[in-house]
Amino acid sequence: MGFNTELLHGTKTGDPVTGATLTPVYQSSAFFQPSAEQHEKLFHNKAAGYSYTRINNPTIAAFEERMTVLEKGVASVACASGMAAITNALLNIVGSGDEIITSTSLYGGTIDLYHDLEAFGITTIFADTNDLADLESKITDKTRVIFAETIGNPKLDVTDIPALAEIAKRHNLPLMIDNTVATAFLVRPLELGADIVINSTSKYINGNSSAISGVITDAGRFKWDLERYPGMKEYKKFAKFAFTAKLRNGLFRNMGACMAPQTAYYNLLGMETLGLRMERACDNAAQLAAYLETIPGISVNYPGLASSPWNEVAKRLLDGRFGAILTIRVGSKERAFAIMNALTIPQIVSNIGDTKTLIVHPESTLAAHSTEQEKVDAAVFDDMIRISVGIEDIEDLKQDFTAAIQNTAE
Ligand SMILES: *Cc1c(COP(=O)(O)O)cnc(C)c1O
């Protein structure tokens, strides 16, 4: 099945009882049981079913199932946000005294999270994924996971996932990939050797910016060594579901950052058009990038341009398109602000993946908590504007940018 057919028909949707074509919102905190015996079984993983929405819910389960199919995994856990998904996925396998190796080219919130984890005795070592030999040299006997983004936000570097997976494999470490910016439409990291994939579903999956959420999808193939991951001991018996079983029976259920059923419904609805939206938004971005590159005084960073250092790897790994985000540098922070204020179609929003074109000045906003060195490593500059291109008519976007740029000529 092709991408869109599988997305629409690859899992059960709707309600067989009433014939509803959409999965209903089970807006209920708890679920009654036919007997005390059944209730006991449920709490001992001996029966399938629902008891309490913090742990699971039919609407959320339908969304998780569709994400599992989309990302080619074995199981997914839906969370309250992308950050909750990253936190849950990491803390499921790392603890005090352990080390994480991560790409420097990350979403600002993820960099902040790594700093927060220091208080719990978890050390993060930042490495440049463009220098894999250097990254590999940073692995120690305390390393427990390697983390990167498919397309770094906002550096727009494309991680060579097969090469990174090769290193992870050599050291028996799981590779965790944040696929938010690319989405499964462009690449399925689990197919390229990653072990766990994260999506902030607040972005392209939802598609309309109607709700915050995130999801963890496991490939189910990593062999958890009990000396390194002692917490996996009880869950080994779940075989390829060990990672997910540990999450659901432990941290995920107890930290309580679950998805709301209404959010799962929005996501199920929004993601039906993921393929169509991505196609259009990526094509718009490619056209806008090529056009802006012809304007003197503007430099453009977009993985689909031959001028991008990541064009080769993007062509090799992504399915013929290059994402819907580009950044431009315009000479100064003042001019960046002037252009942003002069644009009439794009909205100034600290978000990506909407149907509408969104712009942001990352240096003064998203990277506000980063150190100067972290900004340099994440390619955040004070004259840079990030553009998350929407599905508008491209001629209108081009005209709007032309006017804003001309009106603010240096
Ligand atoms: C937005 C984003 C996150 C965080 O997701 P939230 O849903 O906002 O918590 C993580 N990673 C990337 C790449 C993002 O763009």
Side-chain angles (χ1 to χ4, degrees):
M1 268 195 265
F3 181 85
N4 291 297
T5 315
E6 185 172 52
L7 181 55
L8 293 166
H9 300 284
T11 58
K12 285 194 280 308
T13 51
D15 176 23
V17 177
T18 60
T21 56
L22 296 173
T23 302
V25 187
Y26 289 90
Q27 193 65 51
S28 183
S29 310
F31 299 83
F32 67 81
Q33 308 300 323
S35 68
E37 287 78 7
Q38 174 69 11
H39 210 182
E40 181 182 36
K41 278 187 194 155
L42 208 54
F43 271 73
H44 289 81
N45 295 310
K46 294 202 166 104
Y50 301 97
S51 64
Y52 196 57
T53 287
R54 169 154 53 73
I55 299 158
N56 215 344
N57 169 290
T59 317
I60 300 169
F63 170 66
E64 289 170 337
E65 213 182 307
R66 203 187 262 178
M67 283 305 305
T68 301
V69 168
L70 195 67
E71 288 287 4
K72 312 282 182 198
V74 298
S76 297
V77 177
C79 300
S81 67
M83 290 315 304
I86 297 173
T87 307
N88 267 284
L90 288 171
L91 295 185
N92 199 35
I93 50 175
V94 300
S96 177
D98 293 343
E99 292 175 2
I100 298 166
I101 291 190
T102 181
S103 161
T104 49
S105 171
L106 293 179
Y107 174 71
T110 311
I111 297 179
D112 287 354
L113 172 67
Y114 283 127
H115 292 317
D116 294 336
L117 292 181
E118 284 168 22
F120 301 91
I122 298 163
T123 308
T124 302
I125 290 133
F126 290 86
D128 184 353
T129 37
N130 297 292
D131 185 351
L132 291 179
D134 177 62
L135 182 144
E136 185 166 12
S137 76
K138 292 184 156 80
I139 295 173
T140 73
D141 60 0
K142 291 181 180 157
T143 310
R144 293 293 176 270
V145 61
I146 300 177
F147 187 97
E149 295 180 4
T150 315
I151 301 179
N153 174 11
K155 190 174 183 178
L156 305 181
D157 53 334
V158 181
T159 301
D160 191 341
I161 297 173
L164 196 53
E166 195 57 46
I167 291 173
K169 212 174 196 164
R170 202 151 50 231
H171 296 270
N172 290 321
L173 293 168
L175 175 61
M176 198 180 284
I177 295 285
D178 180 338
N179 200 31
T180 303
V181 172
T183 79
F185 176 73
L186 293 179
V187 63
R188 278 79 42 214
L190 301 183
E191 289 183 329
L192 300 181
D195 299 289
I196 296 145
V197 66
I198 308 281
N199 279 277
S200 163
T201 44
S202 319
K203 316 291 172 56
Y204 294 101
I205 302 290
N206 171 285
N208 304 281
S209 305
S210 66
I212 298 292
S213 63
V215 65
I216 306 160
T217 306
D218 179 28
R221 74 169 96 83
F222 188 76
K223 302 275 175 285
W224 302 99
D225 167 53
L226 295 184
E227 267 182 37
R228 281 185 172 185
Y229 306 95
M232 283 290 170
K233 194 160 178 255
E234 276 181 68
Y235 300 99
K236 267 289 217 202
K237 62 178 183 235
F238 292 98
K240 65 181 180 179
F241 299 108
F243 176 88
T244 306
K246 179 170 188 292
L247 252 184
R248 280 206 188 281
N249 287 281
L251 195 76
F252 169 74
R253 136 198 236 131
N254 301 326
M255 204 153 71
C258 61
M259 182 178 275
Q262 188 73 37
T263 301
Y265 177 81
Y266 291 144
N267 290 348
L268 281 166
L269 207 54
M271 72 196 290
E272 291 192 348
T273 56
L274 178 68
L276 277 180
R277 285 184 285 105
M278 285 301 284
E279 217 175 289
R280 168 74 167 224
C282 293
D283 290 350
N284 274 354
Q287 288 194 57
L288 189 63
Y291 172 65
L292 293 174
E293 204 178 35
T294 65
I295 302 179
I298 306 280
S299 67
V300 184
N301 179 21
Y302 179 64
L305 292 175
S307 57
S308 163
W310 300 285
N311 188 234
E312 284 308 310
V313 61
K315 280 199 228 166
R316 178 156 52 85
L317 300 186
L318 308 180
D319 286 349
R321 286 187 173 81
F322 302 92
I325 299 182
L326 56 127
T327 60
I328 58 173
R329 293 186 65 182
V330 299
S332 68
K333 177 176 175 177
E334 290 67 32
R335 189 169 187 221
F337 275 29
I339 291 173
M340 289 173 70
N341 293 335
L343 285 164
T344 63
I345 296 172
Q347 297 173 317
I348 301 173
V349 176
S350 53
N351 191 15
I352 58 167
D354 201 326
T355 47
K356 302 173 190 81
T357 297
L358 312 177
I359 48 171
V360 74
H361 183 257
E363 196 271 338
S364 61
T365 57
L366 308 173
H369 302 284
S370 298
T371 63
E372 290 308 313
Q373 188 57 45
E374 281 168 348
K375 288 183 196 175
V376 171
D377 293 341
V380 172
F381 308 100
D382 70 353
D383 67 338
M384 187 178 89
I385 303 170
R386 185 187 71 189
I387 309 164
S388 171
V389 183
I391 61 171
E392 295 96 342
D393 295 292
I394 185 64
E395 289 309 322
D396 293 329
L397 287 177
K398 277 191 198 169
Q399 266 177 27
D400 200 26
F401 274 93
T402 306
I405 289 166
Q406 275 170 358
N407 292 340
T408 57
E410 277 169 309

